Amino acid sequence: MVHAYQDPHATLTLREGLAEYFASDPTLTDPDDCSPEGAELFRRHDAVHIVFGTNRELEQEAMTDAWTAFGTTAPWSVFREYLAVPEVAAVFADIGVVTSVLGSIRATPSIWRVWRHSRRMREPWPFDGYAAHYDHRLCDLREQYGIELVRQP
């Protein structure tokens, strides 16, 4: 299913994109139900989904992680922080290690496209400062940061 926030020219605000994202899947982890450290990590991660136009399919989750690594100001240590959060561990337990690894392998071509697109960005997306952009239109944010969405073949 394609969402409005996934349109490269979406005029939704980041806040509206997040609302659409959460409305589309009632099984999403609500940051308000998480530990304080988990809540902020999930909020940052969800904002990356919206700004870079990815959904919750396993391969697109891998792309979201690649965007986080290559297209944001997030330090590499954020991945270690994710794994230490109990709510993230629960998500991985639900998915399973084998499924996660196979999904990442299948996503390798898309991850390479993410990396190439990230090299063309004007500046990295602010992983910590995302909330300042809640009321900005996605098309304007993508233009400002030079974000070109990656479509899977």
Side-chain angles (χ1 to χ4, degrees):
M1 173 183 211
V2 176
H3 304 286
Y5 73 83
Q6 292 179 287
D7 179 337
H9 309 290
T11 58
L12 296 171
T13 64
L14 175 56
R15 185 183 311 275
E16 293 166 337
L18 284 163
E20 178 190 27
Y21 176 73
F22 278 99
S24 72
D25 186 351
T27 66
L28 279 169
T29 302
D30 184 342
D32 292 335
D33 295 336
C34 295
S35 61
E37 62 276 0
E40 191 55 29
L41 286 171
F42 273 104
R43 284 187 184 98
R44 293 172 185 159
H45 178 80
D46 295 340
V48 171
H49 269 289
I50 305 311
V51 171
F52 292 97
T54 58
N55 64 34
R56 296 246 313 128
E57 294 172 13
L58 189 56
E59 290 177 46
Q60 292 213 3
E61 284 289 353
M63 290 170 57
T64 302
D65 290 341
W67 275 120
T68 300
F70 305 127
T72 76
T73 59
W76 282 93
S77 62
V78 77
F79 293 102
R80 195 173 50 247
E81 291 172 33
Y82 273 128
L83 296 175
V85 172
E87 296 88 355
V88 173
V91 169
F92 278 111
D94 286 346
I95 296 170
V97 173
V98 173
T99 301
S100 295
V101 170
L102 290 176
S104 294
I105 291 169
R106 280 192 302 271
T108 300
S110 295
I111 291 169
W112 278 111
R113 284 193 292 283
V114 165
W115 181 81
R116 284 195 313 270
H117 285 242
S118 73
R119 301 300 85 177
R120 295 192 299 256
M121 289 175 62
R122 287 180 189 81
E123 61 183 297
W125 172 252
F127 194 66
D128 291 324
Y130 67 93
H133 298 295
Y134 274 147
D135 297 314
H136 295 122
R137 296 182 329 160
L138 293 172
C139 59
D140 296 336
L141 291 171
R142 291 168 180 159
E143 174 65 28
Q144 176 183 345
Y145 288 92
I147 296 168
E148 180 184 348
L149 304 188
V150 173
R151 297 287 173 220
Q152 286 181 298

